[in-house]
Amino acid sequence: MTAASPPRPLPLLSLLAGVGLALGALAPRTADAQAMIVMSDLCEDPAAVFDYQWARANHGVAAAFLMRDNGTVAPIEGAAQQGLPAYPQLYVAAHGGPNLISHMSHDQFAAALRRAHPATPQSVFFAVCSAGKGPDSLLKKLNGAYCDGISRLNGGVVACALTGNGQASLVGAQYNIHVRQSDDALYEKILDNIEAKWRGDYPGQRGRSYAQVCQGLIRADGYDPAALAEFMTTVYDQFRQPSVDPQRSTNYLDLVKLNVGGQPLAICGADPTGNGRPTACP
């Protein structure tokens, strides 16, 4: 996510402004095909949408999937006909905490991904705070579910954030831990503004908040992937609008801009650096 405090505070991922989200269900053409998994906390704030856009802008991710709290996985957009198993490289966007990813335990998530993606992934990048924290960390649990065969896993051992270092852009932003804000008061003000807007009316649906609209869209009954993709596009557009007065900003990219410094995420796996040597996960 993007805030550098508790379990993945608001800001996390992001992508190129103006890039359309509808990519069509084209099958991946290479062995490095990459996909993003968002979870039910997509409905809690704009973070997962910006994480997806960040992964698209910087890492070539072209498909998005939803994992519900019961572990079922559904395509959102750009998905190959084979579904999630077609993608050997995965990105996951969610809030995290001690033994928690979105609303699932680490064991539940690992088991769910193993069912949805039976073959061992080449890599898994967690835009999830505290993914590498504790003796039963998410990194360790997921790699264990695949007999410690995942070549590379990335995740923060503490809170993590998209770091723009003064640039209000997803392009070139990095996920770091131990991030600080160049202006704490302004950061908190913008965060408050974004949260207030999220609780307000969704465009064209008076009396229904962004969260309420989203919760209806991720339900299995009557699930419409195109409608969820459209919601994500709307969120991306609505929460990157420039503001003349910084104190009134609801632009998620302004949070990315204010995030500075920090250290890289932890890296582990069967061969994370390509030298044939395993690195134990924290």
Side-chain angles (χ1 to χ4, degrees):
M1 303 332 222
T2 285
S5 3
R8 188 187 154 216
L10 208 48
L12 253 166
L13 300 188
S14 172
L15 194 123
L16 290 170
V19 174
L21 292 178
L23 297 178
L26 300 176
R29 299 179 182 177
T30 70
D32 350 338
Q34 302 174 86
M36 168 66 78
I37 298 171
V38 297
M39 304 183 69
S40 66
D41 59 2
L42 166 73
C43 298
E44 295 179 8
D45 54 52
V49 167
F50 279 82
D51 285 345
Y52 173 44
Q53 294 296 345
W54 170 81
R56 290 183 63 187
N58 294 281
H59 299 286
V61 169
F65 291 82
L66 167 70
M67 180 181 284
R68 299 187 179 92
D69 292 343
N70 64 2
T72 59
V73 173
I76 300 175
E77 67 174 5
Q81 189 172 7
Q82 307 97 304
L84 192 63
Y87 300 90
Q89 299 187 21
L90 303 175
Y91 287 74
V92 182
H95 291 297
N99 194 29
L100 188 69
I101 172 172
S102 184
H103 303 116
M104 302 173 72
S105 71
H106 292 171
D107 280 328
Q108 289 172 332
F109 175 84
L113 188 60
R114 187 73 173 79
R115 288 192 300 270
H117 196 293
T120 303
Q122 291 176 6
S123 65
V124 183
F125 183 104
F126 284 103
V128 180
C129 289
S130 302
K133 184 176 183 179
D136 298 315
S137 74
L138 182 57
L139 299 181
K140 195 175 294 180
K141 285 289 188 177
L142 182 64
N143 201 24
Y146 288 97
C147 301
D148 293 334
I150 301 175
S151 291
R152 179 184 177 111
L153 301 96
N154 297 71
V157 295
V158 292
C160 56
L162 268 180
T163 308
N165 286 313
Q167 301 298 316
S169 173
L170 293 176
V171 178
Q174 296 181 331
Y175 256 102
N176 285 340
I177 59 173
H178 299 305
V179 173
R180 61 184 177 83
Q181 284 72 52
S182 57
D183 187 328
D184 288 330
L186 180 58
Y187 186 93
E188 292 301 325
K189 177 60 177 172
I190 295 172
L191 194 59
D192 288 345
N193 295 345
I194 289 173
E195 291 172 345
K197 182 172 179 174
W198 192 259
R199 294 191 299 268
D201 289 350
Y202 182 77
Q205 300 212 25
R206 188 170 182 179
R208 296 188 72 207
S209 68
Y210 285 83
Q212 290 170 324
V213 171
C214 179
Q215 287 160 1
L217 292 173
I218 68 172
R219 293 179 56 186
D221 293 343
Y223 177 67
D224 181 352
L228 183 55
E230 182 180 359
F231 170 84
M232 293 171 69
T233 301
T234 299
V235 169
Y236 184 55
D237 290 342
Q238 288 293 317
F239 287 88
R240 60 184 175 91
Q241 296 178 356
S243 176
V244 175
D245 181 0
Q247 295 291 326
R248 296 179 179 273
S249 173
T250 58
N251 188 343
Y252 192 91
L253 297 180
D254 286 340
L255 295 178
V256 175
K257 176 182 178 179
L258 292 169
N259 283 334
V260 297
Q263 300 170 10
L265 304 183
I267 301 173
C268 63
D271 186 13
T273 59
N275 65 1
R277 297 176 182 175
T279 299
C281 289

